[in-house]
Amino acid sequence: MRRVRVTALVLLAVLTAAACGARLSPELRKQAATAALSAGSGNGTNTGTGPGNLGSTAGPGALGGPIGGSGGTQGSNGTSGTQGTQGGAQGAASGCNGATDVGMTSNSVVLGNVSSTSGPVSGLFEGAPEGAQAFAAFLNSQGGLCGHNVRVQFADDSTNCQGNQNATEELASKVFAFVGSFSLEDGCGAKYLNAHTNVPDIHVALAPEADSPPNHFDIETGALGYATGPFAYYAKKLGSAVQSVGTLYANVGGAVPKQKAFEHAAQSVGWKFVYSRATDATETDWVGDFVTMCQRDKIKIFFTGAENAQYAAKMVNDERQAGCPSSLINIIPIAYDQAFVADVGNTSAIENLLGWNEYSLFFNADEAAKIPELKLLQGWFAKANPGKPLNLYALFAWASGRLFQQAFQAAGAHVNRASLMEQLRKVNQFTASGIVAPMTPSDKKGGVKCYILWQVHGGKFSRVDDPATGYRCDGQFLPLNG
């Protein structure tokens, strides 16, 4: 089945690996596009590496001290405050250190992570196992999880359907739960998980098949659709400008329905797209588009969410080459990327650029100063992966780990696979202590509706009109189909 839920960021990462810092040749982009479009066929072979061990030894002392046990505060006026940090101090005293199950002894627990780190794009989602490694190192520095030393077994599916299915089946008999996996081929491994619903799985699902098993829990939940809140905010702030919007998006797999979801949500609150075009996966020049948008259609806003940060940077430069007026407003959510400012090369060109995230400004130092959990993530990621850039896949892996931790501790002395999933089904409005927008991990029909707004000033991303550390939760999640 052709995937329809792959997020725009992930799809275009396959094409350019921008989130991993790589810059690919047109030929390699074509190979990556072919891999994305043919994914899920089930005809591949397993060329991935075997499972490896990560996070098996205790790391250095915790940054910022032990995990706190206090609850957070709830924001007002349509916003969500930060969630209190999950759990209390780690150790045997927590009362969940005596149980055993698959992948768990009385003093150790093994987690599985199946991600795409080789294939058409080398290192594609290596941030996922790196984030899981950082999480394990942090827990072990605290004495483990309820007295259990935490180890991660990692398998690379080589961006290959059969590879994902084989790795999932192989690890399922060795690990207590899957945590933080990230793969374009996760729909293939879901075949095994659907048939073995006793195996807990916590990761951001990309294929719709991967979201369907009852034993799957997600921190980016929901059917195909999008939240109306950000679009409603800008409609109120920018007035009639939202009646003259131009947009570009990738004509690749799930980016097309994702764009339709964007436009559906935007149009429901008054936006009008006067120019909309699907671009080829290997296109790198959009000057002609901007000549049409700015000179013929007189657009007031340029929006793109179904491209990637590297392409968005080129589009901003193409606007100037096409002679677009300086008054043109850019709203580009996918620009939140560590390489975006450097890719543009001229900070004046992106001054006041607007956007939003459904997660914290995870690489910002000022954000980490306000959100203790983010400070932990940034610090432990750097310790576990020296010199590596913190990216969204690592954030998702860490947040998935925190969800696992919360359910594991809640299960108490009787923790096993079944009781872990029982506790996971009770979790509502999870934020991993503020680093991701509130969601219900077991939800199969709804979606994330909360977000934060940001603006670029002086080449830096910063929050605007937001709670200091929480999320705006106005608007609604609007499914594309019904």
Side-chain angles (χ1 to χ4, degrees), residues 83-109:
Q83 182 185 41
T85 308
Q86 279 83 34
Q90 307 303 308
S94 299
C96 50
N97 65 326
T100 61
D101 204 333
V102 175
M104 183 174 69
T105 69
S106 61
N107 59 12
S108 69
V109 62

Side-chain angles (χ1 to χ4, degrees), residues 25-100:
S25 66
E27 180 59 32
L28 189 51
R29 282 200 296 270
K30 289 180 181 178
Q31 294 176 24
T34 300
L37 291 170
S38 62
S41 64
N43 298 322
T45 57
N46 183 12
T47 58
T49 61
N53 297 330
L54 295 172
S56 59
T57 59
L63 298 178
I67 305 173
S70 61
T73 59
Q74 180 67 31
S76 59
N77 299 323
T79 65
S80 171
T82 58
Q83 182 185 41
T85 308
Q86 279 83 34
Q90 307 303 308
S94 299
C96 50
N97 65 326
T100 61

Side-chain angles (χ1 to χ4, degrees), residues 25 27 47 52 58 75 90 129 142 169 197 205 233 283 316 324 332 350 352 388-389 393 406 426 443-444 472-473:
S25 66
E27 180 59 32
T47 58
Q90 307 303 308
Q142 302 291 290
E169 183 172 355
T197 56
Y233 169 86
E283 278 187 68
V316 169
C324 291
I332 307 179
I350 54 173
N352 297 321
K388 296 291 185 70
Y393 319 123
Q406 179 174 325
K426 295 179 181 179
D443 185 12
K444 304 293 184 184
R472 300 176 61 94
C473 294

Side-chain angles (χ1 to χ4, degrees), residues 7 123 132 150 154 185 189 202 222 248 272 308 333 348 351 447:
T7 64
V150 180
F154 164 65
E185 304 292 352
I202 306 170
L248 296 169
K272 182 178 180 180
N308 70 20
S348 64
E351 183 68 15

Side-chain angles (χ1 to χ4, degrees), residues 262-277:
F262 282 138
E263 293 189 16
H264 182 53
Q267 290 165 347
S268 75
V269 293
W271 284 44
K272 182 178 180 180
F273 292 87
V274 298
Y275 185 95
S276 179
R277 187 176 78 85

